[in-house]
Every structure is written in C-alpha cells, then in structure tokens.
Amino acid sequence: MKKFLTILAIFCLGVGGFTADSAGPHNQIIFLINGLDSASLSLARMAIAGPYGKLNFEKLTHGGYLSTYSFNSWVTDTAAAVSAIATGERANNGELSLDSLGSVKPTLLEEAQKSGKAIGIVTDTRVTFAPAAAFYTHSTNRFKENDFALDLLKLEPDLVMGGGKFNFLSNSQGGVREDGKDLLRTAEKQGYKVLADRLDLVKCSTLNTKVLGLFTENHLSFELDRPADEPSFSLLVEKSIKLLSAKSDKGFVLVLICDRISQALRNHDVKAFVTQFEMLDKCCAGIVDFQKALPDPLFLLMSPFSTCPPMLSEKNDLAYLPNIKASAEYMAAKIDTSGENVGWVMSKYAGVENLSEKEKSKVFYDLKNEFLPLAIGDVVSDRLGIYFLEPTIQKTLASTYGNSAEITPYFVAGPNQDKFSIFMQNYQVGKLLISGLSE
C-alpha cells in the first residue's frame, strides 16, 4: 500500500498539468463496484470499520444516489446498468451499449480514444464479461463473449487486464473458441505485450507497447481464495495507473470494474463479500487521500446496480467471520459429486459443525448444478444472522439472478464534481463523463 501511495503521489503531482482552475478533467478514473447498495454498504462498514467507523471512500465529501432501472425494466441486469454509464443512454436488459431502439451509441472509451487520450480497462472478471464489454462493444446479446474478444482487439485499448483467457484461445488450445483463432497471437501481432501471471505484471514497468493481461482462464479469484501467482486487484490498479499516466500527454480514461462483489452477494457469501470489499476500500485509500490535495483526475466511485441486499438481524454474529477461510465458490469446488464430504468441507473451511437435516437438504438439492455456491453461502449466512433473498425465488430470476430496484451510492472528487447532483439518473452520469472529455 505504501508503494501504491507513492505512485499516486507522483502521478497526481506530476502528470497532466491539471490544476483546480482547469476547465475539466485531464484524466478520469471510473471505479465501478457492482451490486452495492445501502444495505450491503452497511454490512461492509459494520464488518470492516465497526458501527462508528468510516470506510476510506466515504471520506469523499461529494456524492449521492443513482437510479438503476433500465429502459424496459424497473430491475436492471448488469449489461443494461453498465451500458447506461458507458454511453449516457438507457439500454434494454441483455443488451450492450445500444439505445432502446437498438441503435449503436458510442462509449466513453471509444470517445476518449478519439480525443487522443489513453484508455484502459481493469476488471476482476473476464475481460469479455458484460460489465467490461459494455465499454467497447455493441450487441443485442450480452453472452456472445467470443465475439467480444474480437471487438476488444478491434478497439485496441492501451491497457486491458483481468481474466477470461479461454475466450481468446481455440478449442485445440484449451479455450472455448470454435473458430480456431488464437487471439493471444493476434494481440501480439498488434503490438500487445501479453501478461499471464503476477510476475509478468510486476516486471511490466512501462507502456511502450499496449498491454493485455489475462491472468486466469475464467474470472479472477476472490481475494479470499487468490493463489500466490495471481495478481491482486489492488496490484492491477496500481500498475494500470502507473502505466497509463505516462502514455499520453492528453491524459487517460481508466475504467476499474469490481464485479466479484456482486457475485459474492448473489452467492449469499458474506465472508467473500467483506474480504473483497476490504481489499477494494484499501485500494481506494490512496486515490481518496490525494484527491483532497489536488483534484486531478476526476475520480468517480459508483455502483451501477443493486443485487441481493443483505439484512442484518439484531442477533447477527459478525465476530465469527474470521473463522471462515474460503469462499462458498471455493468450498463448492471441493465437494465431491456424491456429497459425502459436505460436512468435512464446511467444517474445514467455514467452521460449520453439526449440519441440520434442513441445511444438508439445501446443499444436496444443488449438489450437481451451478447453484451449489448459493446453497453453501445461504447455510453459512443464516448461521451468521444475515439474511438474503430466498434462494428458491432468486433461482427463478433468470435475467438478473437477484438484482433489485434499489438506488445505489456514488462518490466523486475532482473537476466537474459540482455537476453531479445528490440524486441522478444512471444515464446522466454517463453523459457527464463523455461531455467532460471535450472540456
């Protein structure tokens, strides 16, 4: 963290030449924490800072709340929610960076690139997953990720880091592409330096070429489970700011996407959520501190949508959280197909002893499907006295998997901060970001 603060100090004091009297932001850092709302924010604050504490990004003095609904639904899905931020237009659920009539709308990163700024995307999920793809592609189907990998390389951002390597490799290479293409090789031909692990990232000190970092086959690991050779999200942020700040004298736009938060909430996984959030809050600390001294760049931290808001009962037991050693997703992968080791896994990794018949039935019902992490998370969260949307209802919400119509928080600092009002429509944020490119 000290190293991160040093880098940010150099960046804020020496890059871009912006002062408080400048017309607009020289650089933009957009930090999306997906799924967060007032309920989950309260849970994070209670678990990390205590009832009288304050999270690092709450030290920002300007902020408010956002509407989250899409054009065709009160309850947005991820694609439409992020598209509204990326383009300044409401989208239909399931679609990426198209307006309600299906017309292509230019994204913040596309417009920034046209203006001569360096552009970058950092995500803790697949770089072709909907939250990241909304900033560089246009589609009526959010699930065409193999196509999005091609679109990403067509745009040629200066920096892309996250997971999802299998969308860039053919079936014969262990990937999921059926067209036989090796897009990592294509990227290298386009001038990208391809990074594969934490050591590659540590050694990458300059952005003389473009950078494509794909560190996992699928999403990045939860911080709770992260192996030593996989870079942390905080390291990705540190490196991306350092690399992009030296890339263009016209500034940069960097989009940071934390979607694993929403996935932890959908799994009712309190420990994975809290651990992930604590890492993100520490990651924000350096930016927050330097924003107070010098408002460059524009720093916007926000949640595009709400999902599975948690409710803390008066008998909650947050003091038990240190006993949980792995995410529900990790535990699910450790349970064998017969389910005979369920008790052992939940005892070893969650400290849960003496499963009741009701708890066992929850786990065994989902033993062989994608909802097993949810079943495990729900058992553990119940014991913590923290309650979520009933799993049987959540499973039927196919398009959003538990999203809600709750308003979500945002925090902002830097040039143009006074243009953000206490309550805003989600698409209005996108319009402000795009209009700020020309100021």
Side-chain angles (χ1 to χ4, degrees):
M1 183 54 64
K2 288 182 178 178
K3 182 180 178 184
F4 184 33
L5 295 177
T6 300
I7 290 170
L8 282 170
I10 295 171
F11 162 64
C12 290
L13 295 174
V15 175
F18 179 82
T19 69
D21 296 325
S22 295
H26 188 74
N27 309 293
Q28 294 184 14
I29 298 177
I30 317 303
F31 207 131
L32 303 185
I33 301 183
N34 292 348
L36 193 68
D37 55 28
S38 58
S40 49
L41 183 58
S42 296
L43 171 57
R45 187 187 304 107
M46 291 288 288
I48 297 168
Y52 306 109
K54 183 180 288 188
L55 297 165
N56 285 312
F57 65 76
E58 291 178 315
K59 297 173 185 176
L60 288 166
T61 58
H62 200 90
Y65 298 93
L66 303 171
S67 72
T68 60
Y69 50 89
S70 65
F71 184 82
N72 64 344
S73 176
W74 285 107
V75 179
T76 187
D77 74 344
T78 307
V82 181
S83 292
I85 308 305
T87 66
E89 296 281 349
R90 280 207 180 96
N92 295 314
N93 281 7
E95 300 184 351
L96 292 168
S97 295
L98 304 173
D99 68 13
S100 59
L101 300 178
S103 299
V104 170
K105 306 303 296 184
T107 71
L108 172 66
L109 291 187
E110 289 171 332
E111 296 286 34
Q113 188 180 64
K114 289 178 184 177
S115 70
K117 294 182 182 293
I119 59 173
I121 306 172
V122 176
T123 178
D124 59 3
T125 55
R126 298 187 296 270
V127 299
T128 52
F129 202 43
F135 284 92
Y136 64 80
T137 195
H138 310 270
S139 177
T140 57
N141 185 344
R142 58 170 291 185
F143 298 109
K144 292 187 174 182
E145 293 191 44
N146 281 353
D147 292 343
F148 302 160
L150 293 168
D151 293 338
L152 180 63
L153 295 182
K154 183 178 180 180
L155 179 63
E156 295 192 47
D158 298 278
L159 180 145
V160 181
M161 293 195 287
K165 186 184 300 182
F166 58 38
N167 288 119
F168 290 76
L169 297 174
S170 66
N171 290 335
S172 63
Q173 296 172 301
V176 296
R177 300 196 65 83
E178 297 180 353
D179 57 11
K181 293 182 178 179
D182 178 354
L183 295 189
L184 295 186
R185 179 60 179 157
T186 300
E188 289 175 339
K189 290 180 179 179
Q190 290 181 204
Y192 278 95
K193 182 177 180 62
V194 177
L195 312 179
D197 55 28
R198 184 181 184 280
L199 183 58
D200 282 350
L201 181 60
V202 169
K203 292 190 297 185
C204 184
S205 57
T206 62
L207 199 59
N208 295 327
T209 60
K210 297 182 289 289
V211 168
L212 174 62
L214 298 175
F215 304 105
T216 54
E217 297 298 311
N218 201 336
H219 301 313
L220 297 188
S221 303
F222 284 112
E223 182 66 13
L224 185 59
D225 308 323
R226 182 173 55 83
D229 62 346
E230 183 182 320
S232 67
F233 191 79
S234 58
L235 180 59
L236 298 184
V237 173
E238 171 190 325
K239 281 290 188 176
S240 63
I241 292 176
K242 181 179 180 181
L243 294 171
L244 281 179
S245 64
K247 182 66 176 179
S248 172
D249 59 5
K250 293 186 177 181
F252 68 82
V253 175
L254 172 62
V255 177
L256 309 171
I257 303 169
C258 311
D259 195 58
R260 292 294 264 164
I261 285 283
S262 70
Q263 293 170 18
L265 290 169
R266 290 189 179 107
N267 287 339
H268 300 188
D269 190 342
V270 177
K271 181 59 180 284
F273 166 74
V274 169
T275 305
Q276 201 78 7
F277 197 99
E278 185 173 22
M279 178 269 295
L280 297 178
D281 194 46
K282 289 179 180 178
C283 182
C284 289
I287 300 174
V288 169
D289 288 343
F290 283 105
Q291 281 292 330
K292 291 180 180 179
L294 186 64
D296 178 51
L298 176 72
F299 175 51
L300 172 66
L301 186 148
M302 61 173 295
S303 175
F305 62 92
S306 160
T307 195
C308 294
M311 183 186 77
L312 280 72
S313 73
E314 61 188 75
K315 294 183 179 180
N316 70 79
D317 188 12
L318 291 177
Y320 186 79
L321 284 176
N323 296 307
I324 303 172
K325 306 300 182 184
S327 71
E329 191 177 277
Y330 184 91
M331 285 186 266
K334 292 294 183 180
I335 296 175
D336 60 38
T337 54
S338 70
E340 292 181 1
N341 67 338
V342 166
W344 178 86
V345 168
M346 296 192 69
S347 173
K348 178 178 175 63
Y349 295 106
V352 172
E353 306 290 350
N354 304 316
L355 286 171
S356 68
E357 290 303 313
K358 182 179 180 180
E359 289 172 331
K360 288 179 182 178
S361 67
K362 278 186 177 182
V363 176
F364 275 85
Y365 185 82
D366 291 314
L367 191 61
K368 297 181 181 180
N369 64 43
E370 72 272 21
F371 296 114
L372 182 54
L374 170 59
I376 294 169
D378 200 60
V379 168
V380 178
S381 63
D382 278 357
R383 291 205 175 196
L384 290 168
I386 300 171
Y387 304 104
F388 293 84
L389 183 67
E390 215 288 319
T392 55
I393 297 174
Q394 186 176 325
K395 294 172 189 177
T396 65
L397 304 176
S399 64
T400 69
Y401 194 26
N403 286 6
S404 79
E406 296 290 324
I407 57 177
T408 60
Y410 81 86
F411 301 86
V412 63
N416 286 355
Q417 70 174 29
D418 292 336
K419 295 182 179 181
F420 290 79
S421 58
I422 190 68
F423 180 78
M424 300 183 68
Q425 306 294 336
N426 51 4
Y427 68 91
Q428 292 176 323
V429 173
K431 288 186 181 296
L432 280 177
L433 294 174
I434 292 172
S435 65
L437 297 171
S438 60
E439 293 181 355

